[in-house]
Amino acid sequence: MIKVKNLNKYYHKNKSNEIHVINNTNLEIQAPGLVTFLGSSGAGKSTLLHVIGGLDKASGDVIYDNINFNKASKRVVDDYRNKHIGYIFQNYNLIDSFTVLENVVVTYLIDGYSMKEAKRLAKEKLKLVGLEKDSYKKAIKLSGGQKQRVAIARAIIKRPKIVLADEATGNLDGENTESILDIFNKISKKCLVVLISHNESSAEQYGDRIIKIEKGKIVSN
């Protein structure tokens, strides 16, 4: 479960161009399931997601399993985040000169797995996202939808409790968006997926819960 209490964040505080980008937010999100933060561009969705994921700071409390990210040490937060939270971003963050398989394997190697075990586990994840036949294709030659599938495979390497996806379908066409949302739906049966979107129809079709945000404030839940 994620608990958010009295969360506030400002840009340009006490200035004429002040923005209350997270406005006194209180929220509880249970796992598993697919939860969508829905809102227009600039509503504060990404900022809220980044604060929840420990990538940004705000006043208030963000609590996972009784660990308060805003009060715990950096080491404790980093350890929890590395073990239990997977991130997926709009721009994929792949290494273009690496193959599909290498982009996933490298994360296992960083964590101390042998090459043999890293390849075996990476192939399992690529099969889950439908890319097992493209394992040796260079990332630079992939379509946007394929790149996002690699990013998803990499994010679920450690079987995280929570996957945070920031506009993960924002660069994709309708067909690829549907295929990626199908994968998120499958993943969300075993963990919590929090997805940012501005597409209301997709949110209604795939989401177990929709949290609408406007001007930094939750307006429906």
Side-chain angles (χ1 to χ4, degrees):
M1 178 197 290
I2 305 171
K3 289 185 180 180
V4 172
K5 296 180 179 179
N6 304 321
L7 207 63
N8 284 279
K9 186 175 180 66
Y10 295 85
Y11 293 139
H12 317 297
K13 190 171 184 179
N14 298 323
K15 296 182 179 179
S16 60
N17 58 339
E18 177 183 286
I19 301 172
H20 201 171
V21 68
I22 301 177
N23 190 341
N24 197 36
T25 294
N26 292 275
L27 186 63
E28 290 190 10
I29 308 176
Q30 301 275 1
L34 178 56
V35 176
T36 302
F37 287 175
L38 183 66
S40 60
S41 179
K45 308 181 303 296
S46 291
T47 304
L48 179 59
L49 191 79
H50 293 169
V51 170
I52 287 174
L55 300 177
D56 201 354
K57 288 288 186 182
S59 64
D61 299 313
V62 177
I63 302 167
Y64 290 88
D65 298 334
N66 298 317
I67 298 172
N68 191 328
F69 271 29
N70 284 355
K71 294 180 180 177
S73 69
K74 184 177 184 299
R75 181 187 61 79
V76 169
V77 172
D78 287 347
D79 184 61
Y80 187 94
R81 187 171 57 215
N82 290 338
K83 287 180 179 177
H84 301 301
I85 303 177
Y87 295 91
I88 302 166
F89 300 101
Q90 186 174 355
N91 59 358
Y92 319 124
N93 292 332
L94 302 184
I95 302 171
D96 284 341
S97 60
F98 280 18
T99 65
V100 167
L101 183 63
E102 288 168 342
N103 266 284
V104 182
V105 161
V106 68
T107 308
Y108 282 112
L109 295 179
I110 290 170
D111 279 351
Y113 287 81
S114 69
M115 178 62 78
K116 182 178 180 181
E117 184 69 357
K119 284 185 175 180
R120 183 185 70 79
L121 292 168
K123 286 177 180 178
E124 284 183 3
K125 299 300 185 291
L126 290 172
K127 184 176 182 179
L128 178 65
V129 299
L131 280 179
E132 66 271 28
K133 294 181 180 179
D134 296 297
S135 295
Y136 295 99
K137 186 180 288 187
K138 293 285 187 181
I140 198 170
K141 295 183 177 179
L142 300 177
S143 68
Q146 288 173 319
K147 288 181 178 180
Q148 197 58 283
R149 287 171 186 243
V150 179
I152 293 170
R154 192 177 53 192
I156 60 174
I157 276 174
K158 300 173 187 177
R159 296 181 180 175
K161 294 180 179 180
I162 300 140
V163 173
L164 303 178
D166 188 358
E167 291 282 12
T169 61
N171 290 333
L172 306 179
D173 60 25
E175 183 177 348
N176 278 306
T177 292
E178 287 188 10
S179 66
I180 294 300
L181 290 173
D182 282 334
I183 293 170
F184 283 141
N185 190 43
K186 185 188 300 183
I187 295 170
S188 72
K189 304 304 180 187
K190 295 184 178 180
C191 73
L192 172 64
V193 177
V194 182
L195 171 69
I196 284 181
S197 179
H198 56 265
N199 189 321
E200 189 163 359
S201 62
S202 293
E204 289 176 350
Q205 182 178 353
Y206 289 92
D208 296 310
R209 181 177 174 189
I210 299 172
I211 298 169
K212 291 186 178 181
I213 301 171
E214 293 178 8
K215 297 181 179 180
K217 199 171 186 69
I218 293 175
V219 295
S220 69
N221 183 356

